[in-house]
């Protein structure tokens, strides 16, 4: 298997070969979107013909699609021709230890109370760090390899495991699923790939940290996790982004495939740059995440969303197989001028399928948060069950919280429960905490963490700690 | 310890406290009584530093420092504790977690190390047995679904854990049955020392049978209209407040 470095070298050295731009930095494609750009990306990544064609097919379909207008968010439409669709980090000397990873990146981790070293040493988390579009570091690969687990970048998977990629890519989120999923299919540059063989229980949490690195570049991650029959994997995805003054587009696609009796736990902490206090800048986070459950399979999504200027995101489960289970646990925080329209879709197709939705929205400042969820029971889904709980917590008087639950049932045996509450962090609660010696910021952190407990409890321990800190940081100064 | 001088306060432009004078020394128990709306709870809120109330005159001196310059949390760090008449619920935050945070934030503010978990646990056990609190209590969400008695007991439990210099008990007896009242009063009495002081705010004499005050003050229309010893409470019980009101309004 090629090392990342030699791969990078090939990528950057292959510039001239395709007669493309000699007077710009070797590793960045100029802004613009066209068939030619897609061919260049595919060529830079030395992809096989079928992959290039797959991308081009997606692009042609994309051209006939329009940006969705139904989410409860407003923003100036991003100029897709102004985005550079490929940017690989400049080649640096060989990385021999984690200490050589970009210090700024390590610094961000440290601010969150987690360093790569610490994670590696204390928790044995294998991480595939994605800086901009190309993976620069993959650890623990060998150990996982012994079990037959494949955990690598999507680029590598296309090279080394084309049969798996061909078989599953685009099967859960079709190319034409929506505008941004189609765009992603055409231009995705990298992402993570994971395959757990039959009967294998992945012994460690698999983790990927994403970060948008360079100003003016969009990021189009593509993640594919396949859990073969009777296997189990817990996958963690965390995002941090440094301050940027202009909007950046992030349009990822995540596909999960849980075959018979398999279980996938997918946890996300999303902390992209939310823009400043006046709503200037920040990341557009338009993500499509979906999982397919075969017989007796289970997919559990847990997300803590604190970042991004504008978010729309609905991690969903298609409960195709009998007795399959889908879960969605979400905390979505908006502050200042952030907007989020997020929720889930639980599509019950098989008999005795079950789903649980726990959504906790927190709105502060002038922000707007919406829960949008669909529970659909198909005609053959006998005895399907769903429980949904959607709570909103408001801080101050300038924010808005909305709930859009959709229920479509085509089978009379379905049981669906929906509970919703809206509450406000009261001055009473803050004063009570103050009186016991707990300052305002601490008090808010305490109250908010209590409110989110049901969701935070779903996260792996070390992630839960990071998430708690993030919640506190995101809401700093939002009361009083 | 506490010296209140001509304290005046209002809320939303409405004057509530109209010149309160009160001095509390270490080791003393003061009772403040008075009819509804006389300003009892306002007084406790203003001492604790609730921001909704605007202090329009006078000052509050606590151990040589002007309390009015401090935020509510800073006053707590100085050793002022208010047992709430209506303790608030904080869902998802356990009693243990809340007390742990309160103690450690207070210690941090005082420049002390955080309290080791085993020391805290031992202390919790002691105070729990003092207040006849069950172990399961600790892992419940703070005040959520608590009965009136449990809420009050929880307040006194926190007081026991935080070991304040000055404790203000705002209508701690309301909502308590006889047994709970006895347990709570017993707890307060055991926590009393020559170094700390207690202000008991109440409508009724019944709590004062258990927590015996050194001084009793009657608050009416934002002023202390009469002060005396515990006998004054008995007199009020027998005669009501009307005879005092007449004196003020005349």
């Amino acid at each position: 298997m090629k090392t990342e470095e030699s791969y990078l070298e090939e990528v950057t050295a292959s510039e001239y070969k395709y007669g493309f731009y000699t007077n710009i930095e070797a590793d960045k494609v100029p802004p613009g979107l066209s068939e030619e750009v897609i061919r260049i990306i595919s060529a830079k990544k030395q992809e096989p013909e079928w992959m290039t064609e797959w991308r081009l097919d997606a692009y042609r379909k994309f051209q006939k699609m329009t940006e969705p207008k139904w989410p409860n968010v407003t923003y100036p439409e991003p100029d897709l021709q102004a985005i550079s669709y490929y940017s690989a980090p400049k080649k640096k000397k060989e990385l021999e230890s984690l200490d050589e990873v970009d210090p700024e990146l390590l610094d961000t981790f440290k601010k969150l109370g987690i360093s790569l070293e610490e994670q590696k040493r204390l928790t044995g988390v294998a991480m595939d760090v994605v800086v901009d579009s190309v993976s620069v570091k993959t650890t623990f690969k060998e150990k996982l390899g012994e079990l037959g687990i494949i955990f690598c970048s999507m680029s590598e998977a296309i090279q080394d495991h084309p049969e798996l990629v061909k078989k599953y890519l685009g099967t859960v989120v079709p190319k034409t699923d929506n505008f941004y999923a189609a765009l992603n299919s055409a231009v995705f540059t990298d992402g993570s790939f994971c395959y757990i063989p039959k009967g294998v229980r992945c012994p460690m949490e698999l983790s990927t940290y994403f970060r948008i690195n360079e100003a003016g570049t969009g990021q189009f991650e593509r993640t594919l996790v396949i859990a073969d029959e009777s296997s189990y994997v817990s996958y963690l995805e965390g995002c941090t982004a440094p301050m940027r003054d202009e909007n950046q587009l992030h349009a990822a696609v995540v596909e999960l495939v849980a075959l018979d009796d398999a279980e996938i736990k997918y946890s996300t902490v999303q902390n992209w740059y939310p823009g400043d206090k006046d709503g200037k800048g920040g990341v557009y986070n338009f993500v499509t995440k979906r999982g397919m459950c075969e017989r007796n399979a289970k997919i559990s999504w847990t997300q803590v969303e604190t970042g991004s200027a504008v978010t729309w995101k609905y991690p969903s489960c298609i409960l195709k197989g009998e007795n399959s289970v889908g879960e969605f646990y979400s905390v979505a925080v908006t502050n200042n001028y952030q907007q989020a329209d997020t929720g889930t879709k639980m599509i019950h197709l098989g008999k005795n399928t079950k789903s649980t939705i726990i959504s906790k929205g927190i709105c502060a400042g002038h922000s707007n948060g919406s829960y949008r969820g669909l529970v659909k029971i198909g005609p053959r889904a006998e005895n399907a069950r769903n429980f949904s709980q959607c709570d909103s917590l408001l801080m101050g008087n300038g924010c808005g919280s909305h709930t859009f639950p959709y229920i479509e049932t085509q089978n009379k045996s379905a049981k669906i429960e929906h509970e919703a509450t809206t509450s406000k962090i009261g001055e009473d609660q803050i004063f009570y905490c103050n009186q016991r010696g707990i300052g305002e910021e601490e008090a808010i952190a305490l109250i908010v963490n209590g409110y989110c407990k049901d969701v935070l409890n779903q996260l792996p321990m070390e992630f839960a700690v990071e998430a708690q800190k993030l919640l506190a940081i995101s809401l700093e100064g939002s009361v009083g | 310890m506490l010296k209140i001088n001509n304290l005046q306060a209002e809320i939303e432009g409405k004057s509530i406290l109209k010149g309160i004078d009160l001095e509390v020394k270490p080791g003393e128990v003061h009772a403040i009584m008075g009819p509804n709306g006389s300003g009892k709870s306002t007084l406790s809120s203003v001492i604790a530093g609730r921001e909704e109330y605007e202090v329009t005159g006078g000052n509050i001196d606590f151990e040589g420092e002007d309390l009015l310059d401090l935020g509510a949390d800073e006053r707590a760090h100085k050793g002022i504790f208010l047992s709430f008449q209506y303790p608030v619920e904080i869902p998802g935050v356990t009693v243990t977690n809340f007390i742990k945070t309160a103690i450690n934030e207070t210690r941090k503010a005082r420049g002390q190390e955080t309290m080791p978990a085993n020391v805290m646990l031992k202390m919790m056990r002691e105070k729990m047995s003092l207040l006849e609190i069950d172990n399961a209590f600790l892992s419940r969400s703070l005040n959520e679904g608590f009965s009136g008695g449990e809420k009050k007991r929880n307040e006194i439990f926190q007081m026991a854990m935080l070991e304040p210099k000055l404790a203000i008990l705002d209508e701690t007896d309301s909502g308590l049955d006889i047994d709970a009242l006895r347990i709570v009063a017993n707890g307060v009495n055991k926590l009393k020392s020559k170094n700390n002081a207690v202000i008991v705010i109440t409508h009724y004499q019944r709590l004062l049978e258990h927590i015996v005050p050194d001084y009793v003050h009657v608050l009416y229309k934002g002023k202390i209209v009469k002060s005396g010893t515990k006998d004054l409470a008995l007199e009020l019980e027998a005669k009501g407040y009307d005879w005092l009101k007449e004196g003020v309004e005349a």
Side-chain angles (χ1 to χ4, degrees):
Chain A
M1 203 177 284
K2 277 189 295 253
T3 68
E4 292 292 340
E5 286 309 311
S6 70
Y7 168 64
L8 262 185
E9 206 165 346
E10 279 171 49
V11 168
T12 48
S14 59
E15 283 286 315
Y16 284 98
K17 201 166 138 193
Y18 301 97
F20 186 74
Y21 275 92
T22 53
N23 58 347
I24 60 154
E25 279 196 46
D27 48 8
K28 191 170 174 179
V29 171
L33 182 60
S34 64
E35 286 207 10
E36 197 203 345
V37 164
I38 291 163
R39 281 184 199 280
I40 291 164
I41 293 169
S42 196
K44 271 176 175 290
K45 301 172 72 63
Q46 299 187 313
E47 288 176 350
E49 182 66 23
W50 62 267
M51 196 65 239
T52 314
E53 285 308 316
W54 198 87
R55 290 175 179 277
L56 289 171
D57 179 48
Y59 179 64
R60 286 168 200 142
K61 286 170 173 153
F62 164 77
Q63 284 178 301
K64 297 189 190 107
M65 299 172 80
T66 50
E67 188 155 356
K69 295 289 178 211
W70 48 264
N72 187 24
V73 293
T74 52
Y75 56 92
E77 242 174 73
D79 179 0
L80 298 178
Q81 293 301 338
I83 292 172
S84 165
Y85 286 88
Y86 185 84
S87 122
K90 275 168 250 168
K91 190 183 169 336
K92 289 176 187 162
K93 66 183 166 75
E94 193 124 280
L95 299 177
E96 275 167 9
S97 73
L98 289 175
D99 299 337
E100 292 175 49
V101 170
D102 179 2
E104 199 192 325
L105 178 61
L106 293 179
D107 195 46
T108 311
F109 288 139
K110 274 173 192 148
K111 270 186 206 150
L112 292 167
I114 288 191
S115 68
L116 280 170
E117 302 93 304
E118 221 175 45
Q119 285 233 342
K120 205 177 152 189
R121 196 179 66 243
L122 297 176
T123 64
V125 173
M127 357 214 342
D128 179 24
V129 176
V130 177
V131 172
D132 273 13
S133 312
V134 173
S135 296
V136 292
K137 189 129 197 106
T138 305
T139 51
F140 287 88
K141 203 182 283 179
E142 280 176 28
K143 194 174 170 187
L144 295 171
E146 286 166 19
L147 291 163
I149 294 170
I150 302 164
F151 179 43
C152 62
S153 69
M154 187 56 93
S155 316
E156 279 180 291
I158 291 166
Q159 301 293 338
D160 301 336
H161 308 284
E163 70 296 341
L164 285 171
V165 177
K166 252 188 193 169
K167 186 171 175 189
Y168 291 107
L169 190 71
T171 58
V172 186
V173 178
K175 280 179 261 192
T176 51
D177 189 78
N178 66 69
F179 184 77
Y180 284 106
L183 177 63
N184 176 288
S185 300
V187 303
F188 74 85
T189 37
D190 216 332
S192 296
F193 176 86
C194 172
Y195 171 80
I196 316 292
K198 272 184 198 172
V200 170
R201 197 178 163 87
C202 184
M204 57 182 83
E205 317 269 359
L206 298 183
S207 173
T208 308
Y209 276 87
F210 296 104
R211 194 182 74 142
I212 295 177
N213 203 26
E214 206 172 327
T217 63
Q219 192 163 28
F220 303 92
E221 302 291 340
R222 188 91 194 185
T223 301
L224 177 58
V225 178
I226 303 154
D228 212 328
E229 292 172 21
S230 304
S231 68
Y232 167 83
V233 63
S234 168
Y235 190 96
L236 316 182
E237 169 198 57
C239 305
T240 53
M243 300 273 280
R244 288 291 169 220
D245 199 29
E246 58 195 286
N247 289 311
Q248 292 179 310
L249 177 62
H250 179 76
V253 172
V254 176
E255 295 178 280
L256 308 184
V257 179
L259 299 180
D260 291 359
D261 303 296
E263 181 176 349
I264 301 175
K265 208 171 147 56
Y266 195 101
S267 312
T268 305
V269 171
Q270 185 267 117
N271 183 29
W272 303 108
Y273 179 51
D276 66 13
K277 282 206 173 334
D278 304 315
K280 191 162 180 280
V283 169
Y284 289 180
N285 190 23
F286 303 148
V287 180
T288 308
K289 291 183 166 180
R290 195 174 303 150
M292 175 77 80
C293 285
E294 300 291 346
R295 198 164 47 85
N296 298 329
K298 178 175 173 182
I299 288 178
S300 186
W301 297 100
T302 305
Q303 61 172 19
V304 175
E305 302 275 321
T306 59
S308 296
V310 184
T311 298
W312 61 255
K313 174 179 174 187
Y314 316 93
S316 303
C317 297
I318 301 171
L319 303 171
K320 185 177 153 205
E322 282 178 34
N323 306 317
S324 58
V325 176
E327 293 176 341
F328 174 74
Y329 300 97
S330 169
V331 172
V333 178
T334 53
N335 197 358
N336 300 318
Y337 286 89
Q338 281 177 279
Q339 306 173 67
D341 190 308
T342 182
T344 184
K345 288 189 276 186
M346 292 292 174
I347 315 289
H348 294 251
L349 300 177
K351 284 181 192 163
N352 303 318
T353 45
K354 273 203 297 195
S355 63
T356 304
I357 298 170
I358 308 283
S359 165
K360 302 273 183 178
I362 301 167
C363 303
H366 301 276
S367 70
N368 237 315
S370 300
Y371 167 81
R372 186 183 303 275
L374 168 68
V375 176
K376 185 172 179 169
I377 314 287
R380 278 180 291 190
E382 291 292 324
N383 300 316
R385 283 180 163 207
N386 163 266
F387 173 76
S388 303
Q389 186 179 334
C390 304
D391 297 332
S392 320
L393 186 67
L394 304 174
M395 299 169 75
N397 298 319
C399 55
S401 167
H402 316 268
T403 305
F404 304 98
Y406 304 84
I407 296 173
E408 293 173 19
T409 316
Q410 293 164 298
N411 188 306
K412 282 183 184 163
S413 64
K415 267 193 191 163
I416 296 175
E417 290 174 71
H418 184 98
E419 288 179 8
T421 66
T422 302
S423 52
K424 215 176 152 180
I425 288 196
E427 280 163 0
D428 282 0
Q429 282 175 318
I430 304 270
F431 177 63
Y432 187 84
C433 293
N434 285 167
Q435 207 299 304
R436 299 296 139 92
I438 302 168
E440 181 164 306
E441 301 288 349
E442 273 299 315
I444 290 168
L446 193 72
I447 295 164
V448 166
N449 281 319
Y451 165 76
C452 299
K453 196 167 154 189
D454 292 343
V455 175
L456 297 178
N457 280 348
Q458 296 295 327
L459 291 171
M461 190 60 168
E462 69 277 13
F463 232 39
V465 172
E466 184 184 355
Q468 286 192 5
K469 285 183 186 157
L470 259 184
L471 289 180
I473 293 168
S474 310
L475 292 168
E476 258 172 26
S478 48
V479 162
Chain B
M1 181 182 262
L2 181 76
K3 259 188 191 162
I4 299 177
N5 250 317
N6 191 29
L7 183 67
Q8 295 153 54
E10 59 178 47
I11 186 162
E12 288 163 2
K14 193 178 168 224
S15 167
I16 310 275
L17 301 182
K18 298 169 183 166
I20 302 269
D21 294 291
L22 180 67
E23 182 169 1
V24 178
K25 296 197 178 90
E28 291 179 350
V29 176
H30 289 244
I32 295 178
M33 303 182 73
N36 282 332
S38 56
K40 302 191 297 294
S41 284
T42 299
L43 178 61
S44 61
S45 292
V46 170
I47 297 172
R50 189 165 195 133
E51 282 173 14
E52 286 95 319
Y53 295 94
E54 196 188 334
V55 174
T56 48
N59 63 61
I60 307 175
D61 178 286
F62 184 70
E63 298 194 314
E65 207 168 345
D66 190 353
L67 275 193
L68 298 178
D69 292 337
L70 303 176
D73 50 339
E74 295 167 311
R75 297 184 200 195
H77 300 154
K78 299 281 172 207
I80 289 177
F81 180 93
L82 171 63
S83 168
F84 284 65
Q85 183 177 3
Y86 304 108
V88 302
E89 296 180 2
I90 306 185
V93 176
T94 61
V95 172
T96 309
N97 189 14
F98 185 77
I99 292 178
K100 190 178 87 185
T101 308
I103 287 180
N104 284 332
E105 286 297 306
T106 300
R107 292 175 73 96
K108 197 163 91 187
R110 291 174 182 165
Q112 298 166 323
E113 297 279 303
T114 56
M115 186 184 279
N118 58 336
V119 175
M120 194 175 299
L121 200 66
K122 191 167 164 267
M123 189 172 172
M124 280 187 179
R125 289 220 182 92
E126 275 173 33
K127 309 296 182 186
M128 276 162 64
S129 78
L130 181 71
L131 291 161
E132 299 178 34
I133 287 173
D134 189 67
N135 228 339
F137 192 78
L138 292 180
S139 46
R140 289 172 66 184
S141 280
L142 191 77
N143 292 320
E144 199 184 27
F146 282 25
S147 69
E150 283 173 327
K151 283 184 183 172
K152 296 300 170 72
R153 220 183 283 191
N154 184 27
E155 292 292 285
I156 303 304
F157 178 44
Q158 292 179 45
M159 170 184 149
M161 291 298 296
L162 287 162
E163 301 180 317
K165 291 180 190 159
L166 174 68
I168 305 163
L169 312 183
D170 189 1
E171 310 232 358
T172 297
D173 50 340
S174 69
L176 289 187
D177 60 32
I178 301 287
D179 289 335
L181 185 74
R182 180 186 51 76
I183 293 165
V184 164
N186 194 27
V188 173
N189 287 331
K190 284 199 175 139
L191 297 168
K192 247 169 43 185
S193 78
K194 62 178 186 346
N195 300 316
N196 60 29
V198 182
I199 297 175
V200 182
I201 292 174
T202 182
H203 274 293
Y204 305 107
Q205 151 70 13
R206 103 182 157 148
L207 179 65
L208 303 181
E209 283 167 14
H210 299 277
I211 304 172
V212 182
D214 301 301
Y215 301 95
V216 175
H217 312 276
V218 179
L219 196 60
Y220 180 62
K221 289 198 170 171
K223 281 190 167 177
I224 290 178
V225 293
K226 192 161 182 67
S227 295
T229 62
K230 63 177 195 257
D231 297 335
L232 178 57
L234 292 170
E235 197 176 351
L236 288 168
E237 186 84 350
K239 292 162 66 177
Y241 290 108
D242 287 348
W243 60 286
L244 287 169
K245 288 182 191 171
E246 281 159 22
V248 173
E249 269 145 21

